[in-house]
Amino acid sequence: MTWSIVARDPADGSYGVAVASRFFAVGALCPHIRPGAGALSTQALINPTYGPRGLALLNAGYGAGEVLAEMLAGDAGRAARQLHIVDRQGRVAAHTGVDCIGWCGHRGDENLSVAGNMLAGPEVVDATFAAFRQAADRPFAERFLMAMQAGEAAGGDKRGRQSACLVIHTTEEYPALSLRADDHVNPLAELHRLYGISRGRFAAFMSFLPTRDNPCGIFDRAVIEAEVARREALLATEGGGV
């Protein structure tokens, strides 16, 4: 009852997952990311243990195909599962079980995988995939939002819509961006709205947080507030949003 994008940005190794569904709080269980290792989404009849177990294997150096095989081998319910993975080298592996409800399927290429089930048709995956590729010159987060909107325009989840999420990790264990609309009449539009807001004060604040390379971060409030003012002024000029 879901479709999603799992992708890696080859420019800096960031990972992202975007998901939309006619299901409550889809962002709570589907997307999983380990910076520097890989990302995946578990869907259809979700097996949430795929997330931590799959990421541990990716972090240990296993490839996407090896992780997929390991997850499925130990799961008697694999025929009802959908799982897709991108590893640290941009390799993709995906599984759509034979008992997933149609339309269901997946499409993948280097650094990018799109998969879905209970969709209006294959055009949802195709439109999502094409839009993500065509937006290569846009910021990473915007590529997900634009691609999911293209999938929605192509029919999306055939039962309707309820929730959506976007999660992006760069170099840190904590997300660079994590947006969720858990119960909304137009969850993808809500993600667009939240993303627009995030580009101001939130983005400024995030740019000064402690990191692996700078464990203290920047904590000079004058410096932080100056960057907040700069970003919000820029947003006002641009009109905000995507």
Side-chain angles (χ1 to χ4, degrees), residues 42-171:
T42 168
Q43 49 202 56
L45 286 185
I46 298 168
N47 184 336
T49 71
Y50 283 176
R53 292 191 294 127
L55 293 181
L57 290 172
L58 288 168
N59 193 54
Y62 288 80
E66 296 171 302
V67 175
L68 185 80
E70 179 69 19
M71 294 298 97
L72 299 179
D75 186 359
R78 57 187 172 271
R81 317 285 191 210
Q82 191 169 51
L83 170 66
H84 58 141
I85 305 167
V86 176
D87 67 22
R88 72 180 68 195
Q89 296 183 34
R91 296 171 298 191
V92 169
H95 164 78
T96 299
V98 295
D99 291 340
C100 291
I101 298 174
W103 187 88
C104 57
H106 53 263
R107 179 177 175 183
D109 196 2
E110 186 177 13
N111 294 305
L112 174 62
S113 180
V114 179
N117 62 91
M118 292 189 77
L119 302 182
E123 59 274 12
V124 178
V125 165
D126 289 341
T128 303
F129 188 96
F132 191 92
R133 283 287 192 234
Q134 290 164 7
D137 61 334
R138 301 296 292 271
F140 197 44
E142 293 183 15
R143 297 178 70 185
F144 287 92
L145 295 172
M146 295 169 70
M148 293 299 288
Q149 199 64 57
E152 176 79 10
D157 187 321
K158 67 182 180 182
R159 301 163 310 147
R161 53 197 181 186
Q162 185 173 5
S163 68
C165 75
L166 170 61
V167 183
I168 291 175
H169 279 256
T170 53
T171 60

Side-chain angles (χ1 to χ4, degrees), residues 207-222:
S207 70
F208 296 119
L209 287 182
T211 65
R212 290 172 180 167
D213 293 337
N214 182 6
C216 296
I218 302 296
F219 47 87
D220 185 322
R221 291 183 182 275

Side-chain angles (χ1 to χ4, degrees), residues 162-210:
Q162 185 173 5
S163 68
C165 75
L166 170 61
V167 183
I168 291 175
H169 279 256
T170 53
T171 60
E172 307 306 313
E173 292 294 330
Y174 58 81
L177 184 67
S178 181
L179 305 177
R180 281 174 49 174
D182 286 345
D183 184 29
H184 199 279
V185 295
N186 193 340
L188 288 175
E190 176 65 359
L191 287 192
H192 275 74
R193 187 186 73 83
L194 294 173
Y195 174 69
I197 294 172
S198 79
R199 295 175 62 211
R201 176 173 290 273
F202 174 79
F205 181 78
M206 291 294 291
S207 70
F208 296 119
L209 287 182

